Amino acid sequence: MDKINMSSLAEEIKIWNTPIVGSYILWRFTHGYTEFQPDGKSPVLLLHFIAAAILTNQRLSDPVNNRRKDLASYVRSFTKKKDIDLLLSIQDRVNNTKRYTLESVDIAIQKGLLVLNPDDACVYPSQLAHKPSRGMAPKQSIISMGKKGEILGRWFSSYPVNQVVSLLKVVL
């Protein structure tokens, strides 16, 4: 394994072992979704499982950036690179990250970052009353992942749930 693969593997292990990082990333995802949703609606909980699967894998999250227009552009990036197998791996990642996603959402709810409405299964982001103190602020790498979460949320907000899962070839 080369140095780049080892460092991305180490980063992924760090994320996987830290659901609190996942809670921050999913909060940013939810915030991005809600902010850009034309109707002002929040995402259903199921979308968080897809988001976590993408955002906790460097190869899947690398194409999440502001240079891309939307989710369809993200999907096309895998086709252009002839890396369709990576795109199809999202389904397995959703299955493998279920526990991590649930723990992340649970922590986010406990810490007041997210609110789950049991009536419609939508997850709502809370607004922070103040910025974290100097020693408690997330590291730059985590902030960067949060920005990717917000971008992904914005992309997801442009499509109905059935179209998101269809584009990403995921069965929920």
Side-chain angles (χ1 to χ4, degrees):
M1 240 184 218
D2 60 7
K3 188 175 183 177
I4 294 172
N5 286 339
M6 287 299 288
S7 66
S8 65
L9 180 62
E11 184 67 21
E12 190 170 333
I13 288 170
K14 182 175 83 172
I15 294 165
W16 268 81
N17 289 322
T18 315
I20 196 154
V21 171
S23 66
Y24 169 75
I25 294 167
L26 291 177
W27 171 69
R28 293 285 304 265
F29 165 79
T30 307
H31 181 58
Y33 185 102
T34 304
E35 185 176 329
F36 291 96
Q37 175 45 254
D39 300 335
K41 293 183 179 181
S42 283
V44 294
L45 179 61
L46 291 175
L47 291 177
H48 291 74
F49 289 91
I50 301 171
I54 292 170
L55 295 168
T56 58
N57 179 281
Q58 186 171 357
R59 289 183 61 208
L60 289 169
S61 67
D62 277 348
V64 178
N65 57 57
N66 281 322
R67 295 184 304 269
R68 297 203 188 288
K69 180 182 170 189
D70 57 14
L71 189 59
S73 173
Y74 171 80
V75 170
R76 282 192 303 273
S77 74
F78 293 99
T79 310
K80 287 179 184 175
K81 292 181 195 175
K82 295 184 172 50
D83 211 358
I84 197 73
D85 288 345
L86 181 59
L87 179 67
L88 295 175
S89 75
I90 294 173
Q91 177 68 60
D92 287 336
R93 289 199 51 78
V94 167
N95 293 334
N96 293 334
T97 59
K98 281 180 185 174
R99 183 179 176 134
Y100 173 84
T101 304
L102 284 172
E103 289 175 1
S104 297
V105 170
D106 187 44
I107 290 169
I109 290 169
Q110 287 177 24
K111 297 299 179 185
L113 294 173
L114 296 175
V115 175
L116 174 64
N117 181 347
D119 295 332
D120 61 5
C122 286
V123 179
Y124 298 85
S126 299
Q127 297 298 322
L128 295 182
H130 59 281
K131 289 185 175 183
S133 61
R134 188 168 187 223
M136 299 302 288
K139 293 180 180 179
Q140 187 58 42
S141 62
I142 306 301
I143 291 171
S144 175
M145 290 171 57
K147 288 178 184 175
K148 286 182 178 282
E150 204 161 302
I151 292 167
L152 192 63
R154 181 180 75 223
W155 291 349
F156 278 28
S157 73
S158 300
Y159 299 92
V161 174
N162 63 338
Q163 198 168 3
V164 169
V165 298
S166 177
L167 279 167
L168 296 173
K169 315 290 189 249
V170 175
V171 178
L172 295 174

